[in-house]
Amino acid sequence: MDVVSENRCFGGVQTVYKHRSATCGVDMTFAVYLPPDAEEGPVPVLWYLSGLTCTHENAMTKGGFQEHAAEYGLALVFPDTSPRGEEVANDEAYDLGQGAGFYVNATQAPWKPHFRMYDYVVDELRQELPKVQPFSGAHGITGHSMGGHGALTIALRNPGLFHSLSAFAPIANPTQSDWGRKQFSAYLGDDEAVWADYDATILLGEKGWKGDILIDQGTSDQFIDLLRPQALAEAMASRRQPGVVRLQEGYDHSYFFVSTFAGDHVRWHAERLHNAGRA
């Protein structure tokens, strides 16, 4: 585990790490924010999964999460969105290849050898975190756009690993969207039954979630037709899933939107994670 950078931030420490990933077969970079409370003992962890074209750095520098995490005593984890490097397959399009891992385990060439972001987040990086700092057993997960899709699908498929769940403008129904069908066909092949494991709307309808869910979506989001928040809201209503889809008037898809509501999400997760830690 190599330290790439380390900076004091709101009384805590923001660190970027690099390590060799056995899952992805290349060096991977991720960031961890430790709040001041981490100096006194283990703290809960909030995972943030980023969207298309992002690295670990975008939300770390633009999301505004650290101030709120310091206040509420949460650690933050910012993984990358895909494997990277000359040996890693790529595409000229911004929404496929490097920067667009979609948090799946690819089964098709040329993506299969490296694009295993689902296993990387669920298994490998979670096992690597104790090398950084001892954390409590309470983990929450959130994300934006493609990362919101990742947060929802990973939590819904692994309810034993996460105690709280939210998302910012997630790609909510990718099997019915051009932000999904294109990538799933490339990464997973043409069997749409396989795609269902990576569709939050389908998973929620089949499995539900053990707690409540917080979703924020801007009404002026330029990609709202690709995100399909209405499908997720309908699935929540049909299943009578506790939670809320908040339509935020005038907000778009940018980090200005994310940073505006970052405090709400951190506080929301903190309430659930600290209670989980006392259970």
Side-chain angles (χ1 to χ4, degrees):
M1 186 83 68
D2 296 325
V3 175
V4 177
S5 63
E6 186 174 274
N7 301 93
R8 198 73 175 165
C9 182
F10 293 105
V13 180
Q14 177 66 68
T15 308
V16 176
Y17 297 92
K18 180 178 288 187
H19 72 118
R20 186 70 179 180
S21 168
T23 301
C24 298
V26 293
D27 289 343
M28 296 289 288
T29 304
F30 67 96
V32 175
Y33 175 71
L34 296 177
D37 287 0
E39 296 180 2
E40 304 300 324
V43 295
V45 183
L46 176 58
W47 294 68
Y48 180 96
L49 305 186
S50 292
L52 286 167
T53 76
C54 292
T55 70
H56 69 280
E57 187 175 17
N58 295 75
M60 181 185 78
T61 59
K62 299 179 183 178
F65 287 92
Q66 291 92 337
E67 181 176 9
H68 308 294
E71 179 181 358
Y72 292 105
L74 295 186
L76 302 168
V77 176
F78 302 98
D80 202 348
T81 56
S82 79
R84 300 178 189 273
E86 293 183 0
E87 68 270 44
V88 177
N90 202 10
D91 191 273
E92 293 182 357
Y94 75 96
D95 58 355
L96 185 67
Q98 296 185 37
F102 265 77
Y103 303 98
V104 305
N105 286 337
T107 60
Q108 305 298 304
W111 315 104
K112 183 178 178 179
H114 302 292
F115 281 74
R116 302 189 61 80
M117 290 303 296
Y118 177 87
D119 280 353
Y120 177 72
V121 171
V122 172
D123 296 324
E124 185 175 17
L125 186 53
R126 191 180 178 100
Q127 294 173 15
E128 290 291 305
L129 285 183
K131 298 178 183 178
V132 173
Q133 173 87 4
F135 295 106
S136 80
H139 289 243
I141 191 166
T142 188
H144 174 230
S145 193
M146 179 185 74
H149 140 78
L152 291 169
T153 56
I154 285 172
L156 291 170
R157 290 176 60 181
N158 299 277
L161 296 183
F162 297 96
H163 297 86
S164 57
L165 173 60
S166 75
F168 300 81
I171 303 174
N173 191 199
T175 62
Q176 303 303 314
S177 168
D178 287 343
W179 270 1
R181 295 188 64 83
K182 169 185 176 180
Q183 294 80 7
F184 289 178
S185 178
Y187 296 144
L188 304 172
D190 295 328
D191 184 356
E192 296 191 18
V194 175
W195 301 1
D197 280 344
Y198 298 104
D199 188 305
T201 296
I202 295 173
L203 289 170
L204 184 64
E206 293 178 348
K207 300 175 180 292
W209 172 248
K210 60 185 179 181
D212 51 350
I213 303 171
L214 172 62
I215 307 290
D216 272 313
Q217 171 65 60
T219 61
S220 295
D221 191 316
Q222 60 270 44
F223 303 114
I224 196 167
D225 291 338
L226 293 167
L227 303 173
R228 292 182 53 80
Q230 72 278 8
L232 185 64
E234 289 167 3
M236 290 175 67
S238 178
R239 193 178 174 88
R240 299 180 182 177
Q241 171 67 48
V244 58
V245 178
R246 305 193 306 188
L247 297 178
Q248 303 293 359
E249 185 175 1
Y251 284 89
D252 60 17
H253 199 67
S254 69
Y255 274 100
F256 296 111
F257 157 68
V258 173
S259 61
T260 298
F261 300 102
D264 287 357
H265 283 246
V266 171
R267 179 174 62 253
W268 189 88
H269 282 276
E271 292 170 353
R272 287 148 183 82
L273 294 176
H274 285 300
N275 286 336
R278 290 191 288 269

